Amino acid sequence: MARHGGTIDWDKVNATTEADIDRQAHEDGTDDTSHLSAPYPTPATVRKTLHMTQKQIAELTGIPVATWRNWEQGRVGLDPAVQALLRILGREPEAARRALDVAAE
């Protein structure tokens, strides 16, 4: 029986720099400015606006970093709840941070 899925090379994932991410976004065409007229900002736009790494925003939101990376790279679609989260993070970042910061509770 064929095995589906794959394994994650966490050393490679953790070694990925912001420059690598930006280069990859440019190469795959996901670094455009279409987010300016979109109903919600892209995951990468939100993360960069908040001056956070993928790991940091994943920890803040409680979302696995691999999921966040998949969203940024367009590997998976964004369901309505994710779109709403991105709108909130994009429009009210400080309120979202306060609401999501479980360490402060």
Side-chain angles (χ1 to χ4, degrees), residues 43-79:
T45 299
V46 167
R47 179 180 58 78
K48 290 176 184 179
T49 299
L50 297 176
H51 306 288
M52 299 180 91
T53 65
Q54 287 177 334
K55 183 178 179 185
Q56 289 169 327
I57 198 156
E59 289 173 354
L60 173 69
T61 58
I63 295 165
V65 71
T67 299
W68 193 274
R69 286 184 176 126
N70 284 336
W71 291 344
E72 284 197 16
Q73 295 169 2
R75 292 184 182 150
V76 295
L78 303 176
D79 65 40

mmCIF file of all heavy atoms in Angstrom, residues 43-79:
data_model
loop_
_atom_site.group_PDB
_atom_site.id
_atom_site.type_symbol
_atom_site.label_atom_id
_atom_site.label_comp_id
_atom_site.label_asym_id
_atom_site.label_seq_id
_atom_site.Cartn_x
_atom_site.Cartn_y
_atom_site.Cartn_z
ATOM 1 N N PRO A 43 -1.723 36.322 4.792
ATOM 2 C CA PRO A 43 -0.999 35.954 6.023
ATOM 3 C C PRO A 43 0.380 36.605 6.101
ATOM 4 O O PRO A 43 0.785 37.082 7.170
ATOM 5 C CB PRO A 43 -0.903 34.429 5.928
ATOM 6 C CG PRO A 43 -2.093 34.038 5.109
ATOM 7 C CD PRO A 43 -2.237 35.137 4.098
ATOM 8 N N ALA A 44 1.093 36.646 4.988
ATOM 9 C CA ALA A 44 2.432 37.241 4.991
ATOM 10 C C ALA A 44 2.368 38.732 5.278
ATOM 11 O O ALA A 44 3.208 39.273 6.013
ATOM 12 C CB ALA A 44 3.130 36.987 3.658
ATOM 13 N N THR A 45 1.377 39.419 4.730
ATOM 14 C CA THR A 45 1.224 40.851 4.972
ATOM 15 C C THR A 45 0.968 41.119 6.445
ATOM 16 O O THR A 45 1.574 42.007 7.040
ATOM 17 C CB THR A 45 0.077 41.423 4.120
ATOM 18 O OG1 THR A 45 0.384 41.218 2.744
ATOM 19 C CG2 THR A 45 -0.133 42.898 4.387
ATOM 20 N N VAL A 46 0.072 40.348 7.035
ATOM 21 C CA VAL A 46 -0.230 40.515 8.461
ATOM 22 C C VAL A 46 1.022 40.285 9.288
ATOM 23 O O VAL A 46 1.372 41.083 10.157
ATOM 24 C CB VAL A 46 -1.356 39.549 8.897
ATOM 25 C CG1 VAL A 46 -1.456 39.484 10.412
ATOM 26 C CG2 VAL A 46 -2.680 39.970 8.293
ATOM 27 N N ARG A 47 1.712 39.199 9.009
ATOM 28 C CA ARG A 47 2.907 38.857 9.788
ATOM 29 C C ARG A 47 3.969 39.950 9.678
ATOM 30 O O ARG A 47 4.548 40.382 10.683
ATOM 31 C CB ARG A 47 3.476 37.518 9.317
ATOM 32 C CG ARG A 47 4.732 37.101 10.052
ATOM 33 C CD ARG A 47 5.247 35.772 9.557
ATOM 34 N NE ARG A 47 5.533 35.749 8.141
ATOM 35 C CZ ARG A 47 6.630 36.277 7.580
ATOM 36 N NH1 ARG A 47 7.527 36.892 8.328
ATOM 37 N NH2 ARG A 47 6.825 36.181 6.283
ATOM 38 N N LYS A 48 4.204 40.413 8.464
ATOM 39 C CA LYS A 48 5.230 41.436 8.261
ATOM 40 C C LYS A 48 4.828 42.767 8.889
ATOM 41 O O LYS A 48 5.669 43.487 9.426
ATOM 42 C CB LYS A 48 5.518 41.592 6.771
ATOM 43 C CG LYS A 48 6.240 40.380 6.203
ATOM 44 C CD LYS A 48 6.431 40.484 4.704
ATOM 45 C CE LYS A 48 7.072 39.227 4.152
ATOM 46 N NZ LYS A 48 7.240 39.287 2.700
ATOM 47 N N THR A 49 3.534 43.098 8.830
ATOM 48 C CA THR A 49 3.047 44.322 9.456
ATOM 49 C C THR A 49 3.277 44.286 10.964
ATOM 50 O O THR A 49 3.588 45.308 11.577
ATOM 51 C CB THR A 49 1.546 44.521 9.150
ATOM 52 O OG1 THR A 49 1.381 44.630 7.734
ATOM 53 C CG2 THR A 49 0.999 45.765 9.815
ATOM 54 N N LEU A 50 3.121 43.109 11.545
ATOM 55 C CA LEU A 50 3.328 42.947 12.979
ATOM 56 C C LEU A 50 4.806 42.760 13.339
ATOM 57 O O LEU A 50 5.137 42.609 14.510
ATOM 58 C CB LEU A 50 2.520 41.755 13.500
ATOM 59 C CG LEU A 50 1.001 41.886 13.371
ATOM 60 C CD1 LEU A 50 0.315 40.601 13.817
ATOM 61 C CD2 LEU A 50 0.493 43.067 14.167
ATOM 62 N N HIS A 51 5.665 42.743 12.315
ATOM 63 C CA HIS A 51 7.107 42.568 12.521
ATOM 64 C C HIS A 51 7.400 41.279 13.283
ATOM 65 O O HIS A 51 8.157 41.274 14.260
ATOM 66 C CB HIS A 51 7.720 43.768 13.236
ATOM 67 C CG HIS A 51 7.431 45.072 12.560
ATOM 68 N ND1 HIS A 51 8.020 45.429 11.363
ATOM 69 C CD2 HIS A 51 6.583 46.075 12.878
ATOM 70 C CE1 HIS A 51 7.572 46.608 10.988
ATOM 71 N NE2 HIS A 51 6.692 47.020 11.896
ATOM 72 N N MET A 52 6.756 40.193 12.826
ATOM 73 C CA MET A 52 6.924 38.899 13.489
ATOM 74 C C MET A 52 7.457 37.868 12.503
ATOM 75 O O MET A 52 7.240 37.977 11.294
ATOM 76 C CB MET A 52 5.580 38.419 14.045
ATOM 77 C CG MET A 52 4.985 39.346 15.082
ATOM 78 S SD MET A 52 3.409 38.756 15.712
ATOM 79 C CE MET A 52 4.006 37.791 17.098
ATOM 80 N N THR A 53 8.135 36.885 13.043
ATOM 81 C CA THR A 53 8.546 35.738 12.236
ATOM 82 C C THR A 53 7.343 34.801 12.130
ATOM 83 O O THR A 53 6.357 34.942 12.862
ATOM 84 C CB THR A 53 9.711 34.981 12.891
ATOM 85 O OG1 THR A 53 9.251 34.416 14.132
ATOM 86 C CG2 THR A 53 10.915 35.888 13.124
ATOM 87 N N GLN A 54 7.446 33.831 11.250
ATOM 88 C CA GLN A 54 6.371 32.849 11.136
ATOM 89 C C GLN A 54 6.196 32.102 12.454
ATOM 90 O O GLN A 54 5.069 31.849 12.882
ATOM 91 C CB GLN A 54 6.656 31.868 9.996
ATOM 92 C CG GLN A 54 6.481 32.498 8.638
ATOM 93 C CD GLN A 54 6.829 31.560 7.511
ATOM 94 O OE1 GLN A 54 7.629 30.629 7.667
ATOM 95 N NE2 GLN A 54 6.243 31.803 6.357
ATOM 96 N N LYS A 55 7.285 31.781 13.102
ATOM 97 C CA LYS A 55 7.201 31.066 14.375
ATOM 98 C C LYS A 55 6.507 31.924 15.429
ATOM 99 O O LYS A 55 5.657 31.439 16.178
ATOM 100 C CB LYS A 55 8.597 30.666 14.846
ATOM 101 C CG LYS A 55 8.592 29.868 16.120
ATOM 102 C CD LYS A 55 9.987 29.440 16.521
ATOM 103 C CE LYS A 55 9.928 28.664 17.824
ATOM 104 N NZ LYS A 55 11.232 28.316 18.336
ATOM 105 N N GLN A 56 6.832 33.204 15.485
ATOM 106 C CA GLN A 56 6.235 34.088 16.475
ATOM 107 C C GLN A 56 4.732 34.251 16.267
ATOM 108 O O GLN A 56 3.953 34.189 17.213
ATOM 109 C CB GLN A 56 6.908 35.467 16.439
ATOM 110 C CG GLN A 56 8.317 35.462 16.974
ATOM 111 C CD GLN A 56 9.038 36.766 16.687
ATOM 112 O OE1 GLN A 56 8.819 37.421 15.671
ATOM 113 N NE2 GLN A 56 9.927 37.150 17.608
ATOM 114 N N ILE A 57 4.308 34.457 15.014
ATOM 115 C CA ILE A 57 2.874 34.654 14.776
ATOM 116 C C ILE A 57 2.112 33.350 14.978
ATOM 117 O O ILE A 57 0.979 33.352 15.445
ATOM 118 C CB ILE A 57 2.581 35.295 13.410
ATOM 119 C CG1 ILE A 57 1.162 35.865 13.437
ATOM 120 C CG2 ILE A 57 2.797 34.320 12.267
ATOM 121 C CD1 ILE A 57 0.906 36.974 12.478
ATOM 122 N N ALA A 58 2.755 32.236 14.665
ATOM 123 C CA ALA A 58 2.116 30.943 14.912
ATOM 124 C C ALA A 58 1.904 30.742 16.415
ATOM 125 O O ALA A 58 0.840 30.292 16.841
ATOM 126 C CB ALA A 58 2.964 29.818 14.325
ATOM 127 N N GLU A 59 2.896 31.091 17.210
ATOM 128 C CA GLU A 59 2.765 30.976 18.663
ATOM 129 C C GLU A 59 1.687 31.923 19.193
ATOM 130 O O GLU A 59 0.888 31.537 20.048
ATOM 131 C CB GLU A 59 4.105 31.251 19.339
ATOM 132 C CG GLU A 59 5.117 30.148 19.128
ATOM 133 C CD GLU A 59 6.505 30.479 19.654
ATOM 134 O OE1 GLU A 59 6.741 31.627 20.101
ATOM 135 O OE2 GLU A 59 7.366 29.591 19.589
ATOM 136 N N LEU A 60 1.644 33.149 18.689
ATOM 137 C CA LEU A 60 0.643 34.115 19.133
ATOM 138 C C LEU A 60 -0.767 33.614 18.849
ATOM 139 O O LEU A 60 -1.650 33.711 19.698
ATOM 140 C CB LEU A 60 0.858 35.463 18.438
ATOM 141 C CG LEU A 60 -0.235 36.514 18.685
ATOM 142 C CD1 LEU A 60 -0.196 36.996 20.128
ATOM 143 C CD2 LEU A 60 -0.098 37.669 17.714
ATOM 144 N N THR A 61 -0.974 33.063 17.658
ATOM 145 C CA THR A 61 -2.318 32.659 17.241
ATOM 146 C C THR A 61 -2.672 31.238 17.652
ATOM 147 O O THR A 61 -3.831 30.837 17.523
ATOM 148 C CB THR A 61 -2.464 32.793 15.720
ATOM 149 O OG1 THR A 61 -1.472 31.986 15.074
ATOM 150 C CG2 THR A 61 -2.339 34.240 15.276
ATOM 151 N N GLY A 62 -1.688 30.472 18.108
ATOM 152 C CA GLY A 62 -1.948 29.082 18.467
ATOM 153 C C GLY A 62 -2.112 28.180 17.251
ATOM 154 O O GLY A 62 -2.709 27.114 17.331
ATOM 155 N N ILE A 63 -1.565 28.615 16.146
ATOM 156 C CA ILE A 63 -1.655 27.881 14.878
ATOM 157 C C ILE A 63 -0.295 27.246 14.614
ATOM 158 O O ILE A 63 0.734 27.903 14.768
ATOM 159 C CB ILE A 63 -2.031 28.848 13.745
ATOM 160 C CG1 ILE A 63 -3.441 29.401 13.998
ATOM 161 C CG2 ILE A 63 -1.941 28.176 12.380
ATOM 162 C CD1 ILE A 63 -3.794 30.597 13.174
ATOM 163 N N PRO A 64 -0.258 25.975 14.211
ATOM 164 C CA PRO A 64 1.035 25.355 13.908
ATOM 165 C C PRO A 64 1.797 26.161 12.848
ATOM 166 O O PRO A 64 1.204 26.637 11.882
ATOM 167 C CB PRO A 64 0.662 23.971 13.377
ATOM 168 C CG PRO A 64 -0.688 23.693 13.956
ATOM 169 C CD PRO A 64 -1.376 25.039 14.025
ATOM 170 N N VAL A 65 3.086 26.313 13.064
ATOM 171 C CA VAL A 65 3.902 27.099 12.136
ATOM 172 C C VAL A 65 3.836 26.515 10.719
ATOM 173 O O VAL A 65 3.839 27.267 9.739
ATOM 174 C CB VAL A 65 5.357 27.254 12.642
ATOM 175 C CG1 VAL A 65 6.113 25.947 12.557
ATOM 176 C CG2 VAL A 65 6.089 28.342 11.879
ATOM 177 N N ALA A 66 3.745 25.212 10.591
ATOM 178 C CA ALA A 66 3.640 24.598 9.258
ATOM 179 C C ALA A 66 2.354 25.039 8.558
ATOM 180 O O ALA A 66 2.346 25.282 7.344
ATOM 181 C CB ALA A 66 3.705 23.080 9.352
ATOM 182 N N THR A 67 1.277 25.184 9.321
ATOM 183 C CA THR A 67 0.011 25.652 8.753
ATOM 184 C C THR A 67 0.155 27.089 8.282
ATOM 185 O O THR A 67 -0.272 27.443 7.177
ATOM 186 C CB THR A 67 -1.128 25.543 9.793
ATOM 187 O OG1 THR A 67 -1.271 24.175 10.156
ATOM 188 C CG2 THR A 67 -2.434 26.078 9.242
ATOM 189 N N TRP A 68 0.764 27.928 9.118
ATOM 190 C CA TRP A 68 0.961 29.331 8.736
ATOM 191 C C TRP A 68 1.798 29.408 7.454
ATOM 192 O O TRP A 68 1.483 30.168 6.540
ATOM 193 C CB TRP A 68 1.615 30.129 9.865
ATOM 194 C CG TRP A 68 1.510 31.604 9.586
ATOM 195 C CD1 TRP A 68 2.364 32.359 8.839
ATOM 196 C CD2 TRP A 68 0.461 32.478 9.991
ATOM 197 N NE1 TRP A 68 1.917 33.648 8.771
ATOM 198 C CE2 TRP A 68 0.751 33.743 9.467
ATOM 199 C CE3 TRP A 68 -0.688 32.307 10.752
ATOM 200 C CZ2 TRP A 68 -0.073 34.857 9.690
ATOM 201 C CZ3 TRP A 68 -1.497 33.418 10.973
ATOM 202 C CH2 TRP A 68 -1.191 34.666 10.443
ATOM 203 N N ARG A 69 2.855 28.609 7.375
ATOM 204 C CA ARG A 69 3.704 28.611 6.176
ATOM 205 C C ARG A 69 2.912 28.171 4.950
ATOM 206 O O ARG A 69 3.062 28.735 3.870
ATOM 207 C CB ARG A 69 4.912 27.700 6.390
ATOM 208 C CG ARG A 69 5.929 28.310 7.314
ATOM 209 C CD ARG A 69 7.180 27.455 7.451
ATOM 210 N NE ARG A 69 8.133 28.175 8.276
ATOM 211 C CZ ARG A 69 8.714 27.692 9.358
ATOM 212 N NH1 ARG A 69 8.464 26.455 9.739
ATOM 213 N NH2 ARG A 69 9.558 28.412 10.053
ATOM 214 N N ASN A 70 2.073 27.169 5.114
ATOM 215 C CA ASN A 70 1.236 26.719 3.998
ATOM 216 C C ASN A 70 0.306 27.835 3.537
ATOM 217 O O ASN A 70 0.078 28.001 2.334
ATOM 218 C CB ASN A 70 0.430 25.484 4.384
ATOM 219 C CG ASN A 70 1.265 24.235 4.406
ATOM 220 O OD1 ASN A 70 2.301 24.136 3.758
ATOM 221 N ND2 ASN A 70 0.818 23.247 5.162
ATOM 222 N N TRP A 71 -0.244 28.597 4.473
ATOM 223 C CA TRP A 71 -1.108 29.717 4.102
ATOM 224 C C TRP A 71 -0.321 30.753 3.328
ATOM 225 O O TRP A 71 -0.775 31.240 2.299
ATOM 226 C CB TRP A 71 -1.703 30.384 5.337
ATOM 227 C CG TRP A 71 -2.713 29.568 6.071
ATOM 228 C CD1 TRP A 71 -3.379 28.452 5.631
ATOM 229 C CD2 TRP A 71 -3.179 29.804 7.394
ATOM 230 N NE1 TRP A 71 -4.220 27.987 6.596
ATOM 231 C CE2 TRP A 71 -4.127 28.801 7.700
ATOM 232 C CE3 TRP A 71 -2.884 30.759 8.357
ATOM 233 C CZ2 TRP A 71 -4.779 28.753 8.916
ATOM 234 C CZ3 TRP A 71 -3.536 30.701 9.570
ATOM 235 C CH2 TRP A 71 -4.475 29.708 9.841
ATOM 236 N N GLU A 72 0.868 31.100 3.832
ATOM 237 C CA GLU A 72 1.675 32.120 3.157
ATOM 238 C C GLU A 72 2.080 31.682 1.760
ATOM 239 O O GLU A 72 2.160 32.499 0.854
ATOM 240 C CB GLU A 72 2.931 32.451 3.978
ATOM 241 C CG GLU A 72 2.639 33.317 5.160
ATOM 242 C CD GLU A 72 3.875 33.978 5.744
ATOM 243 O OE1 GLU A 72 4.930 34.022 5.070
ATOM 244 O OE2 GLU A 72 3.780 34.465 6.885
ATOM 245 N N GLN A 73 2.345 30.416 1.590
ATOM 246 C CA GLN A 73 2.795 29.910 0.298
ATOM 247 C C GLN A 73 1.640 29.518 -0.612
ATOM 248 O O GLN A 73 1.853 29.065 -1.723
ATOM 249 C CB GLN A 73 3.750 28.732 0.515
ATOM 250 C CG GLN A 73 5.024 29.173 1.219
ATOM 251 C CD GLN A 73 5.878 28.018 1.686
ATOM 252 O OE1 GLN A 73 5.551 26.862 1.459
ATOM 253 N NE2 GLN A 73 6.976 28.332 2.339
ATOM 254 N N GLY A 74 0.407 29.709 -0.149
ATOM 255 C CA GLY A 74 -0.757 29.431 -0.973
ATOM 256 C C GLY A 74 -1.009 27.956 -1.218
ATOM 257 O O GLY A 74 -1.710 27.589 -2.156
ATOM 258 N N ARG A 75 -0.461 27.112 -0.378
ATOM 259 C CA ARG A 75 -0.636 25.665 -0.542
ATOM 260 C C ARG A 75 -2.031 25.205 -0.152
ATOM 261 O O ARG A 75 -2.491 24.178 -0.623
ATOM 262 C CB ARG A 75 0.396 24.899 0.279
ATOM 263 C CG ARG A 75 1.791 25.062 -0.240
ATOM 264 C CD ARG A 75 2.752 24.196 0.556
ATOM 265 N NE ARG A 75 4.093 24.396 0.075
ATOM 266 C CZ ARG A 75 5.166 24.283 0.819
ATOM 267 N NH1 ARG A 75 5.058 23.945 2.094
ATOM 268 N NH2 ARG A 75 6.350 24.489 0.315
ATOM 269 N N VAL A 76 -2.669 25.947 0.729
ATOM 270 C CA VAL A 76 -4.022 25.616 1.164
ATOM 271 C C VAL A 76 -4.864 26.881 1.147
ATOM 272 O O VAL A 76 -4.352 27.984 1.331
ATOM 273 C CB VAL A 76 -4.051 24.980 2.571
ATOM 274 C CG1 VAL A 76 -3.355 23.641 2.593
ATOM 275 C CG2 VAL A 76 -3.435 25.903 3.599
ATOM 276 N N GLY A 77 -6.144 26.711 0.923
ATOM 277 C CA GLY A 77 -7.057 27.846 0.912
ATOM 278 C C GLY A 77 -7.348 28.323 2.325
ATOM 279 O O GLY A 77 -7.154 27.597 3.296
ATOM 280 N N LEU A 78 -7.815 29.534 2.418
ATOM 281 C CA LEU A 78 -8.133 30.129 3.709
ATOM 282 C C LEU A 78 -9.633 30.076 3.922
ATOM 283 O O LEU A 78 -10.393 30.653 3.151
ATOM 284 C CB LEU A 78 -7.651 31.578 3.759
ATOM 285 C CG LEU A 78 -6.161 31.797 3.483
ATOM 286 C CD1 LEU A 78 -5.843 33.281 3.475
ATOM 287 C CD2 LEU A 78 -5.316 31.073 4.503
ATOM 288 N N ASP A 79 -10.048 29.384 4.975
ATOM 289 C CA ASP A 79 -11.482 29.306 5.239
ATOM 290 C C ASP A 79 -11.952 30.633 5.846
ATOM 291 O O ASP A 79 -11.148 31.483 6.216
ATOM 292 C CB ASP A 79 -11.836 28.100 6.105
ATOM 293 C CG ASP A 79 -11.253 28.165 7.508
ATOM 294 O OD1 ASP A 79 -11.235 29.253 8.109
ATOM 295 O OD2 ASP A 79 -10.844 27.107 8.005
#
